[in-house]
Amino acid sequence: MDITAFHKISYGLFVVTAHEEGKDNGCITNTVMQVTTTPNRITVAVNKANYTHDMIRRTGRFNVSILSEDAKFDIFKHWGFQSGRDIDKAVGITFSRAENGVIYVTEGANAVLSAEVTSEVDLGTHTLFVAEVTAAESLCNTPSATYAFYHCNIKPAPERPKKKGWVCTVCGYVYEGETLPEDFTCPWCKHPASDFKEME
């Protein structure tokens, strides 16, 4: 299967944030979609391995920062390539806090949505949260960053490995080694070995 075909789907890119008992956290996702307008509802799929997932399940609240074409790769590294279980993601970044008590990204984002979960669907590796939008604010007029734009303009080209390697077609992580284990999972984006290709 040619995984790059999925890059052609017109995804947006988002930082989904949550707050629980004084702790702020968030993760990158490309699976936010408006599903109704009366009332305004959205869906977001969050990987169960993400600490943000558990915070949303327990609190029922989250914010979505819609990333724009001005977003830098550092935003993706900060929110997507490290776990809130290990670090405090609210340190070293610029953010604001919405009325629901949850932070949102202000740099490299063009809008923010605050939402409350109304139902959820178990998708195996992910949970699909259906949520009612409780607040929305446009931050700027810069176009939203699509997944295709990210791959062409934001994500740096992978460096050539000194050894034989395999590159994750989703986030660019490079695994060095002669063979990629079949059960390997990308430590950055949690995608399986099937989403890696051999580096030339």
Side-chain angles (χ1 to χ4, degrees), residues 113-182:
L113 306 173
S114 297
E116 289 187 6
V117 176
T118 57
S119 62
E120 58 183 69
V121 179
D122 189 334
L123 301 177
T125 58
H126 291 64
T127 297
L128 183 72
F129 295 104
V130 180
E132 188 166 337
V133 177
T134 57
E137 181 183 355
S138 181
L139 304 175
C140 71
N141 293 322
T142 306
S144 298
T146 64
Y147 204 43
F149 183 89
Y150 167 78
H151 278 279
C152 292
N153 300 286
I154 298 174
K155 181 177 114 177
E159 295 179 16
R160 294 183 63 85
K162 296 177 182 154
K163 304 180 199 175
K164 184 172 180 178
W166 305 79
V167 63
C168 177
T169 59
V170 176
C171 71
Y173 175 82
V174 175
Y175 172 88
E176 291 187 0
E178 290 299 312
T179 58
L180 182 68
E182 289 183 14

Side-chain angles (χ1 to χ4, degrees), residues 39-159:
N40 279 308
R41 284 197 182 111
I42 59 174
T43 59
V44 57
V46 182
N47 192 312
K48 291 178 182 177
N50 289 343
Y51 185 52
T52 306
H53 171 274
D54 297 341
M55 293 175 76
I56 293 172
R57 285 197 84 187
R58 289 189 295 261
T59 66
R61 293 187 324 271
F62 63 90
N63 287 344
V64 174
S65 300
I66 303 172
L67 295 179
S68 75
E69 291 181 355
D70 287 339
K72 306 299 183 207
F73 188 61
D74 283 347
I75 290 175
F76 296 89
K77 288 195 307 185
H78 181 84
W79 295 102
F81 298 169
Q82 53 191 353
S83 174
R85 290 183 181 90
D86 304 323
I87 65 134
D88 184 346
K89 289 191 179 182
V91 173
I93 61 154
T94 302
F95 64 83
S96 288
R97 193 171 299 277
E99 286 185 20
N100 66 356
V102 181
I103 65 171
Y104 61 93
V105 174
T106 54
E107 292 183 8
N110 61 16
V112 60
L113 306 173
S114 297
E116 289 187 6
V117 176
T118 57
S119 62
E120 58 183 69
V121 179
D122 189 334
L123 301 177
T125 58
H126 291 64
T127 297
L128 183 72
F129 295 104
V130 180
E132 188 166 337
V133 177
T134 57
E137 181 183 355
S138 181
L139 304 175
C140 71
N141 293 322
T142 306
S144 298
T146 64
Y147 204 43
F149 183 89
Y150 167 78
H151 278 279
C152 292
N153 300 286
I154 298 174
K155 181 177 114 177
E159 295 179 16

Side-chain angles (χ1 to χ4, degrees), residues 1-9 11 147 151 169-170 194-195 197:
M1 182 179 296
D2 181 4
I3 295 299
T4 62
F6 291 95
H7 298 170
K8 312 283 189 213
I9 297 174
Y11 300 110
Y147 204 43
H151 278 279
T169 59
V170 176
S194 59
D195 287 342
K197 68 176 183 179

